[in-house]
Amino acid sequence: MALQYLLHGTLHVTIYEIDRLKLYGGLCSKIFGSKLYATVDLDKARVARTRMVGKEGYGPKWNETFRIYCGHMISNIIFTVKFEDPIGATLIGRAYVPVEDVIKGTTVDRWVDILDENHNPIHGGSKIHVQLQFFNVTQDANWSQGIRSPAFGGVPYTFFRQREGCRVTLYQDAHVQDDTSYLSLPRDEPYQPHRCWEDIFDAINNAKHLIYITGWSVYTEITLIRDPGRPKPGGNLTLGELLKKKANEGVTVLMLIWDDRTSVEQLKKDGLMATHDQETADYFKNTNVHCVLCPRNPDDGKSIVQGFEIGSMFTHHQKTVVVDSEQPRERSGKRAIVSFLGGIDLCDGRYDSQDHPLFKTLGTIHHEDFHQPNFAGSSIKKGGPREPWHDIHCKLEGPIAWDVLYNFEQRWKKQGGADILIPRSKLDEITIQPSPVTSSTDPETWNVQLFRSIDGGAAAGFPESPDDAAKLGLVSGKDAAIDRSIQDAYINAIRRAKNFIYIENQYFLGSSFGWKSRDIKVEDIGALHLIPKELSLKIVSKIEAGERFAVYIVIPMWPEGIPESASVQAILDWQRRTMEMMYSDVTQALRKKGLNANPRDYLTFFCLGNRETKKDGEYVPPEKPDPDSDYARAQQARRFMIYVHAKMMIVDDEYIIIGSANINQRSMDGGRDSEIAMGAFQPHYLSTNGRAKGQIYSFRMALWKEHLGYLDSSFRYPESLQCVQAVNSTADEFWNMYTSDALREALPGHLLRYPIEISNTGGVTTMTDMEFFPDTKARVLDTKSDYLPPILTT
């Protein structure tokens, strides 16, 4: 067996051409007139693909260059050559470059034999001309250095460059109650929380010219203002009524809502995913609001089978609102552009606050918005627990807000139909053009960059030239360009990290090339994004250097849905394999270093949950759940998970990523779900000298106060053993309280240990007497589904 090496860094690859392609027999007749493409595979992980070209003279010429982030233990870099057919593609052959030839960083420029499946040269002795150079991650000047200077230019090779002079508002959950306690640690600035749905209501209500919305789901019947202590004029309007009111005032209201293909009359109007898309479109029919349902169309390079997969399995997942807004002290009367993005859909089930009630609001703010999709037959008539919702969102002002506007324009031009966007000439008249809203000397200024997962099937305006596309970091996808800059942003941030990383995400699975393959064919899984592997390799590098580093990851107890269902259990299995891969890396590094340490001191997973004691005056449901059901058991125990829907990463308290993208292949691929995110830092609050203690630090502390119920001085240093052990100890204690048969008091906090044990070799098993999630018959660790395709659940 060939030697394997860890290729961790960036691989530059150029595929030039094939010198002569003399095919024979049936293959020759098939390829005549067809187009060919080549892929780059790191052993069995496909990491790049050329566009499709015809045969020119002796062979095809591509002349395409790729910058490939890698963290793979491999033997060979493989170039696979195929030609397209209507159903898929047919293999011509493969060329192999041993990884030992490139591992030292020298430039390799050679013609490589193309071999058949038996490793014999194909007919005619064809060769492919390639050039490769590997740059080890440790050669990167930013590796483990954080953001070293306020002049940091952002993530390179992306469609949107970093913008300076911006303002960012960070939101935890849809609402914050006035009585929410945010005690600061001594010497910290007091934290002032912001209220997401109140700010979105004000932004929509005050718009004069445009309201542009993208959504996975938008529900017309919700109200954004619900806190009886914070009423607003017009706050009783539903979202649908508010948007119609603004459109009738002459505001251009455009909406791009994902078209759930199951939302047909025969399958009920809200579709299998309950997005209300058809209901929303019908509501705005024959009004001044332009609501377009957008299917997730494939790009032009997909085969018939691939096109069906994308159209039927994947979604438009962006959640953005763009409006014009009054600009204080602007004498011309011109307006500014303000944008919102993140994880919170404008739909039912999302309104929540930091106490995440299960029962106590069922007679008030959640009576008309009861959301509990984890139990069959759940309804407000049968009572709680409702599913609490934890999420993160942000508001963007300044030049970055215009990038969110441009994203909407690109998508509308591709799928919006009627040409009713406000033209740029009109925008010039009514708005201040992109310019800083804060000065470089303002300590609260932000530098912000927009990232996406999207392709030419969902957005117009991508360059056609491979060279132009590569300069913008776009990846070739046969005949389409793919923007996967969200994944690039995560990779860059993890590689820069010095001390700690804090993640909240709805899903956590990937880097399947590193999974153990005892009962799966790893190459069939396709969850190839690098994020989990980058995290474990970062921890390994710190262990090897004798430095402290900690990664905290908060995920849901299980993915939303019936927990025993095949899809939920399949995702839990992929998640377990991801955790096991990461813990195997960590425990191996600890053994090599001779350390007898708990791997949870470096990498630790949590979920959120709540448990409520009964209060006087609580809503009494007229009906009861079916006996001996998950629903009945959870109601009796008065507990349920808080659903983590956030998509956020904080690095060293100096850099934050917020968006719509989950940590799975669907969100990170670029050719699957469409996504949007921002990455940001405050140049006056970096960790170059001491700790970064700007708004990102305060936001993390507010989240930890929400989850843990208290703050401790050790929380200033999340990488410290004192901090990670304190957080783990509290989460262990809360888990024991959550799962106890006796309910003596409400949970003082919500952060729960994820119910797994880690062996000294990194194996992941269930906790003692915890084969099933509380109140369910759903296994914590299950096996893969034999009939659901991995492309659907990864």
Side-chain angles (χ1 to χ4, degrees):
M1 183 177 177
L3 289 175
Q4 288 194 321
Y5 294 85
L6 175 62
L7 207 63
H8 187 206
T10 307
L11 181 66
H12 291 192
V13 176
T14 301
I15 302 178
Y16 293 109
E17 61 180 324
I18 295 177
D19 62 343
R20 53 188 181 276
L21 200 56
K22 298 180 180 178
L23 300 169
Y24 57 94
L27 192 58
C28 182
S29 61
K30 286 181 184 178
I31 200 172
F32 183 78
S34 294
K35 290 187 175 182
L36 296 92
Y37 67 96
T39 65
V40 183
D41 303 328
L42 302 182
D43 278 354
K44 295 178 180 179
R46 181 144 299 165
V47 293
R49 179 174 61 183
T50 69
R51 71 196 190 283
M52 294 186 291
V53 300
K55 192 167 176 279
E56 301 177 30
Y58 291 110
K61 292 179 170 62
W62 291 287
N63 297 317
E64 285 193 56
T65 298
F66 306 93
R67 297 176 68 260
I68 301 166
Y69 294 116
C70 46
H72 303 66
M73 183 72 74
I74 61 167
S75 301
N76 291 288
I77 300 159
I78 305 170
F79 298 88
T80 302
V81 182
K82 295 184 176 183
F83 72 87
E84 98 171 306
D85 58 47
I87 302 301
T90 299
L91 176 69
I92 295 173
R94 295 185 174 92
Y96 298 80
V97 176
V99 69
E100 59 191 298
D101 292 359
V102 304
I103 195 70
K104 293 182 179 179
T106 55
T107 300
V108 174
D109 189 325
R110 68 177 60 159
W111 291 88
V112 188
D113 290 327
I114 301 176
L115 309 180
D116 62 20
E117 293 189 83
N118 295 317
H119 283 251
N120 297 316
I122 64 171
H123 181 73
S126 298
K127 298 177 185 288
I128 186 169
H129 183 196
V130 297
Q131 185 183 89
L132 307 91
Q133 187 174 14
F134 171 63
F135 298 88
N136 191 286
V137 72
T138 58
Q139 296 175 251
D140 185 343
N142 293 314
W143 169 249
S144 286
Q145 297 299 308
I147 298 174
R148 296 187 298 169
S149 164
F152 172 70
V155 179
Y157 304 102
T158 56
F159 191 87
F160 295 103
R161 65 179 178 85
Q162 184 173 274
R163 310 298 183 183
E164 299 178 359
C166 300
R167 187 179 293 120
V168 176
T169 305
L170 304 173
Y171 301 108
Q172 60 186 115
D173 305 310
H175 186 63
V176 176
Q177 295 175 321
D178 279 340
D179 60 357
T180 301
S181 172
Y182 279 108
L183 298 176
S184 298
L185 288 167
R187 303 190 307 279
D188 284 352
E189 290 293 321
Y191 175 70
Q192 295 297 325
H194 302 277
R195 295 168 176 85
C196 183
W197 277 17
E198 284 189 11
D199 286 0
I200 290 177
F201 172 86
D202 289 341
I204 292 174
N205 200 36
N206 294 327
K208 301 296 184 187
H209 301 286
L210 67 90
I211 301 168
Y212 293 169
I213 296 173
T214 68
W216 176 82
S217 172
V218 174
Y219 189 38
T220 58
E221 299 306 306
I222 64 166
T223 54
L224 299 175
I225 306 301
R226 304 190 196 181
D227 189 335
R230 299 179 60 85
K232 286 179 177 286
N236 61 329
L237 294 176
T238 66
L239 178 60
E241 292 167 342
L242 177 63
L243 292 173
K244 285 199 294 186
K245 169 179 170 286
K246 297 307 295 183
N248 291 338
E249 292 173 2
V251 178
T252 300
V253 182
L254 308 182
M255 303 172 66
L256 291 171
I257 310 301
W258 174 52
D259 182 3
D260 181 355
R261 292 289 178 84
T262 65
S263 297
V264 295
E265 194 62 44
Q266 295 83 352
L267 291 172
K268 74 179 181 177
K269 280 203 170 183
D270 59 1
L272 295 180
M273 293 195 182
T275 61
H276 306 288
D277 58 324
Q278 192 59 54
E279 191 176 339
T280 298
D282 291 346
Y283 179 89
F284 289 120
K285 195 174 291 182
N286 300 320
T287 74
N288 291 323
V289 175
H290 301 275
C291 179
V292 175
L293 297 186
C294 303
R296 179 60 178 97
N297 290 337
D299 62 53
D300 296 334
K302 294 292 190 290
S303 67
I304 292 172
V305 172
Q306 290 169 326
F308 174 77
E309 287 177 342
I310 287 171
S312 60
M313 294 181 180
F314 302 127
T315 77
H316 287 303
H317 204 235
Q318 295 182 350
K319 309 142 195 328
T320 66
V321 177
V322 182
V323 299
D324 67 288
S325 175
E326 182 181 4
Q327 181 76 347
R329 299 182 297 278
E330 177 56 40
R331 295 179 181 178
S332 69
K334 287 189 174 185
R335 313 274 289 178
I337 294 296
V338 173
S339 299
F340 298 80
L341 66 80
I344 306 180
D345 292 284
L346 296 175
C347 67
D348 49 330
R350 272 44 174 185
Y351 187 91
D352 215 335
S353 55
Q354 287 64 58
D355 55 347
H356 298 295
L358 304 176
F359 298 93
K360 68 181 184 181
T361 54
L362 295 186
T364 55
I365 60 174
H366 288 115
H367 190 74
E368 301 298 328
D369 187 8
F370 178 81
H371 183 73
Q372 182 47 278
N374 302 276
F375 302 141
S378 64
S379 74
I380 187 65
K381 291 183 178 180
K382 296 178 183 177
R386 63 179 282 271
E387 179 184 61
W389 198 270
H390 175 66
D391 222 325
I392 290 174
H393 218 70
C394 66
K395 177 170 69 174
L396 305 174
E397 301 172 78
I400 188 64
W402 284 81
D403 289 339
V404 184
L405 169 64
Y406 184 55
N407 167 76
F408 183 92
E409 291 175 334
Q410 279 191 303
R411 288 194 54 195
W412 186 271
K413 289 173 183 177
K414 188 69 178 185
Q415 289 193 289
D419 185 15
I420 50 179
L421 286 166
I422 296 178
R424 279 303 169 108
S425 58
K426 177 68 172 176
L427 284 175
D428 289 345
E429 297 175 13
I430 62 178
T431 61
I432 304 163
Q433 290 306 291
S435 58
V437 294
T438 56
S439 72
S440 61
T441 58
D442 184 343
E444 298 308 319
T445 190
W446 288 79
N447 293 358
V448 193
Q449 193 170 8
L450 197 69
F451 309 112
R452 293 185 296 183
S453 294
I454 203 165
D455 64 15
F462 284 168
E464 295 184 5
S465 158
D467 288 341
D468 292 339
K471 290 173 185 175
L472 295 173
L474 302 177
V475 180
S476 294
K478 290 186 180 177
D479 274 348
I482 298 172
D483 184 343
R484 57 177 60 154
S485 54
I486 295 178
Q487 181 182 170
D488 294 351
Y490 270 85
I491 293 169
N492 274 266
I494 294 166
R495 291 183 176 184
R496 287 194 308 270
K498 283 197 302 186
N499 299 314
F500 79 95
I501 291 172
Y502 175 62
I503 290 172
E504 294 185 2
N505 207 282
Q506 182 185 2
Y507 294 97
F508 192 84
L509 61 93
S511 304
S512 58
F513 54 84
W515 296 356
K516 293 179 180 177
S517 57
R518 54 182 176 266
D519 59 341
I520 56 172
K521 288 182 67 177
V522 169
E523 61 269 30
D524 291 344
I525 306 303
L528 298 176
H529 75 86
L530 274 180
I531 294 168
K533 194 66 175 179
E534 288 288 347
L535 289 166
S536 62
L537 290 176
K538 168 62 71 169
I539 296 169
V540 167
S541 73
K542 291 293 188 174
I543 292 171
E544 291 173 346
E547 299 173 6
R548 278 295 307 162
F549 194 87
V551 176
Y552 303 78
I553 301 174
V554 182
I555 54 178
M557 202 173 292
W558 67 80
E560 188 179 57
I562 306 299
E564 298 92 337
S565 67
S567 60
V568 169
Q569 289 293 310
I571 294 168
L572 288 171
D573 180 57
W574 307 139
Q575 178 180 283
R576 188 240 333 149
R577 294 173 191 271
T578 304
M579 292 177 175
E580 203 162 58
M581 172 200 69
M582 297 174 72
Y583 277 120
S584 295
D585 288 346
V586 172
T587 54
Q588 183 178 8
L590 290 171
R591 287 197 306 274
K592 283 185 177 179
K593 197 72 174 176
L595 298 175
N596 185 25
N598 186 339
R600 289 182 67 217
D601 292 343
Y602 297 85
L603 170 65
T604 185
F605 288 87
F606 306 95
C607 53
L608 301 180
N610 199 8
R611 199 167 188 187
E612 277 181 21
T613 54
K614 195 165 187 175
K615 299 290 192 298
D616 292 339
E618 190 176 281
Y619 168 74
V620 179
E623 301 175 12
K624 291 184 178 297
D626 292 340
D628 196 34
S629 63
D630 293 359
Y631 194 178
R633 285 187 289 270
Q635 188 174 94
Q636 177 66 29
R638 297 184 65 85
R639 63 189 169 200
F640 199 70
M641 71 168 173
I642 298 168
Y643 196 60
V644 179
H645 193 258
K647 299 95 170 55
M648 180 208 71
M649 181 170 77
I650 289 173
V651 178
D652 296 335
D653 282 337
E654 67 178 4
Y655 190 80
I656 189 168
I657 295 174
I658 292 174
S660 66
N662 297 311
I663 297 180
N664 60 7
Q665 193 63 25
R666 292 178 67 109
S667 287
M668 295 296 166
D669 186 87
R672 298 187 182 184
D673 291 351
S674 63
E675 308 282 7
I676 193 166
M678 72 86 179
F681 70 97
Q682 293 187 277
H684 292 275
Y685 296 98
L686 302 179
S687 60
T688 46
N689 297 309
R691 310 298 294 196
K693 294 184 68 175
Q695 293 180 40
I696 298 172
Y697 164 82
S698 297
F699 188 64
R700 177 181 63 81
M701 284 296 202
L703 289 168
W704 283 27
K705 177 66 166 28
E706 173 186 345
H707 298 334
L708 289 158
Y710 72 98
L711 290 178
D712 184 85
S713 59
S714 69
F715 294 178
R716 290 194 180 103
Y717 310 98
E719 75 277 12
S720 70
L721 197 58
Q722 180 185 359
C723 178
V724 73
Q725 289 183 346
V727 173
N728 279 337
S729 177
T730 300
D732 290 353
E733 178 187 350
F734 287 174
W735 177 260
N736 292 334
M737 294 176 66
Y738 181 83
T739 56
S740 171
D741 291 337
L743 174 56
R744 297 184 178 89
E745 59 178 328
L747 280 180
H750 301 136
L751 192 74
L752 310 178
R753 172 186 183 148
Y754 199 81
I756 54 172
E757 298 280 5
I758 314 302
S759 75
N760 58 9
T761 60
V764 174
T765 58
T766 56
M767 295 171 64
T768 304
D769 299 325
M770 196 49 63
E771 182 180 0
F772 305 102
F773 290 112
D775 307 319
T776 78
K777 297 176 182 177
R779 295 181 184 278
V780 174
L781 301 176
D782 210 304
T783 55
K784 65 185 178 67
S785 171
D786 289 327
Y787 62 89
L788 287 175
I791 194 173
L792 181 64
T793 54
T794 57

